[in-house]
């Protein structure tokens, strides 16, 4: 689950100012609260047009991705955000990527870190800490200088959504800014976001997960990653979609379910997959087959 599904809610029962929620980042030490995995391109990676070369040659440097943002929401309103620099980093070399093989990758260990939200307003309030939508977080400890009570069920209906990187939150600056989170907030519902960047591929385990999850509404955005991966032909795609839906219906016989086809994707309107990245000057300039 991503930030919208994994937001941690705690209610401050003490009517006092200066309540602090602290989080220590665990990256190999004995103390701390999270093991964060950032996916970044290597600064040594150089890539040129694979359509011309037949494979990825070394070319332009790629900058590392920024640290993921943690959002602080109080009584339904985002009031602050913060980051923890460093962390355990999964470094990927895109120059080794091809349509048939995974790119070379290595893990760089990091040191524990700390994120503190201090000087919170006085009084009882519902506090949510939204975890980064673009990196993994393992929470070990949550500390406060006021008593905390776990929030009960909100009473709101639950919307479950599954889709591609657009649903995952691609290019969003903070976890409450991804479109499913914004839509859920406007609709007044709780969100379980199963957006999987590059991996909405009709996998049976995803259908089983949705089948077994409580939900009042379900939406599925299907198709674009299947094209990106050049995964199926029409003969296999139709039955795969029907099988995916049939599995979900085993646990949600009458739950409203909406299936969305892909939105506009210029790189694939006239060109089939698979997608291969092309970089120039450290920037992704286009995808090609």
């Amino acid at each position: 689950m991503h930030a919208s599904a994994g937001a941690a809610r705690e209610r401050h029962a003490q009517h006092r100012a200066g309540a602090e929620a602290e989080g220590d980042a665990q990256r190999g030490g004995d103390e701390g609260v999270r093991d964060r995995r950032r996916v970044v391109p290597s600064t040594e990676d150089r890539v040129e047009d694979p359509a011309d070369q037949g494979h990825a040659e070394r070319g332009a440097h790629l900058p590392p991705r920024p640290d993921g943002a943690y959002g602080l929401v109080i009584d339904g309103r985002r009031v602050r955000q913060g980051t923890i620099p460093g962390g355990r980093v999964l470094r990927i070399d895109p120059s080794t990527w091809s349509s048939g093989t995974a790119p070379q990758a290595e893990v760089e260990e990091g040191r524990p870190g700390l994120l503190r939200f201090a000087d919170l307003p006085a009084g009882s309030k519902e506090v949510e800490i939204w975890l980064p939508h673009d990196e993994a977080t393992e929470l070990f400890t949550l500390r406060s200088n006021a008593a905390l009570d776990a929030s009960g069920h909100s009473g709101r209906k639950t919307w479950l959504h599954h889709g591609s990187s657009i649903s995952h939150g691609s290019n969003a600056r903070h976890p409450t800014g991804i479109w499913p989170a914004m839509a859920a907030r406007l609709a007044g519902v709780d969100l379980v976001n199963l957006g999987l960047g590059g991996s909405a591929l009709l996998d049976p385990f995803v259908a089983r997960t949705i089948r077994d999850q409580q939900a009042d509404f379900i939406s599925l955005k299907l198709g674009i990653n299947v094209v990106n991966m050049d995964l199926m032909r029409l003969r296999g795609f139709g039955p795969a979609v029907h099988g995916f839906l049939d599995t979900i219906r085993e646990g949600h016989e009458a739950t409203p379910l909406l299936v969305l086809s892909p939105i506009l994707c210029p790189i694939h309107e006239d060109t089939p997959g698979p997608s291969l990245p092309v970089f120039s000057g450290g920037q992704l300039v286009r995808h090609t087959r």
Side-chain angles (χ1 to χ4, degrees):
M1 295 184 189
H2 304 295
S4 48
R9 294 193 185 95
E10 299 290 342
R11 185 179 300 279
H12 281 260
Q14 298 294 323
H15 292 260
R16 58 184 292 185
E20 297 181 358
E22 298 181 355
D24 301 328
Q26 171 75 16
R27 301 181 189 85
D30 295 329
E31 298 181 354
V33 297
R34 71 184 190 107
D35 175 5
R36 190 184 70 200
R37 183 159 299 209
R38 298 169 54 222
V39 180
V40 301
S42 170
T43 55
E44 296 180 356
D45 295 340
R46 299 167 177 263
V47 185
E48 291 182 355
D49 193 340
D52 297 333
Q53 302 296 328
H55 62 282
E57 298 290 346
R58 297 199 172 265
H61 290 282
L62 298 178
R65 289 176 56 179
D67 293 317
Y70 289 77
L72 176 66
V73 175
I74 297 180
D75 293 331
R77 186 172 65 92
R78 185 172 69 94
V79 297
R80 210 175 303 171
Q81 70 181 44
T83 62
I84 301 178
R88 179 179 294 168
V89 177
L90 175 62
R91 193 172 295 279
I92 296 175
D93 182 355
S95 69
T96 62
W97 186 88
S98 71
S99 60
T101 60
Q104 294 179 4
E106 60 181 11
V107 175
E108 297 179 2
E109 298 295 334
R111 295 182 57 81
L114 170 71
L115 178 63
R116 175 183 291 112
F117 293 114
D119 301 322
L120 304 188
S124 179
K125 50 195 163 289
E126 185 172 76
V127 176
E128 302 175 41
I129 300 176
W130 285 62
L131 308 179
H133 63 287
D134 53 0
E135 63 185 34
T137 299
E138 184 176 353
L139 182 68
F140 292 95
T141 303
L142 182 68
R143 300 200 300 266
S144 173
N145 64 352
L148 300 175
D149 295 324
S151 293
H153 189 275
S154 67
R156 295 185 291 266
K157 293 185 181 237
T158 299
W159 167 36
L160 186 152
H161 177 70
H162 168 60
S164 64
S165 59
I166 298 173
S167 303
H168 188 142
S170 177
N171 296 329
R173 295 182 179 180
H174 51 83
T176 56
I178 65 175
W179 81 259
M182 298 176 69
R185 186 164 56 251
L186 290 172
V189 298
D190 287 335
L191 172 67
V192 176
N193 184 17
L194 297 181
L196 302 175
S199 298
L201 300 173
L202 298 173
D203 289 312
F205 83 90
V206 176
R208 293 192 297 270
T209 298
I210 297 173
R211 177 195 64 189
D212 298 338
Q213 175 71 40
Q214 189 279 326
D216 298 291
F217 316 98
I218 298 172
S219 57
L220 310 170
K221 190 174 75 66
L222 304 176
I224 189 60
N225 290 157
V226 175
V227 174
N228 295 154
M229 295 289 291
D230 192 27
L231 188 64
M232 299 178 184
R233 297 296 179 263
L234 183 61
R235 174 61 181 84
F237 179 71
V241 172
H242 283 287
F244 198 86
L245 296 176
D246 289 345
T247 298
I248 293 172
R249 280 300 186 203
E250 292 173 2
H252 295 277
E253 182 177 351
T255 303
L257 191 156
L258 175 67
V259 178
L260 297 81
S261 61
I263 63 173
L264 175 69
C265 183
I267 63 172
H268 285 310
E269 294 305 305
D270 301 307
T271 305
S275 302
L276 293 176
V278 179
F279 297 90
S280 177
Q283 299 295 321
L284 177 66
V285 294
R286 71 181 188 277
H287 285 78
T288 186
R289 187 177 181 193

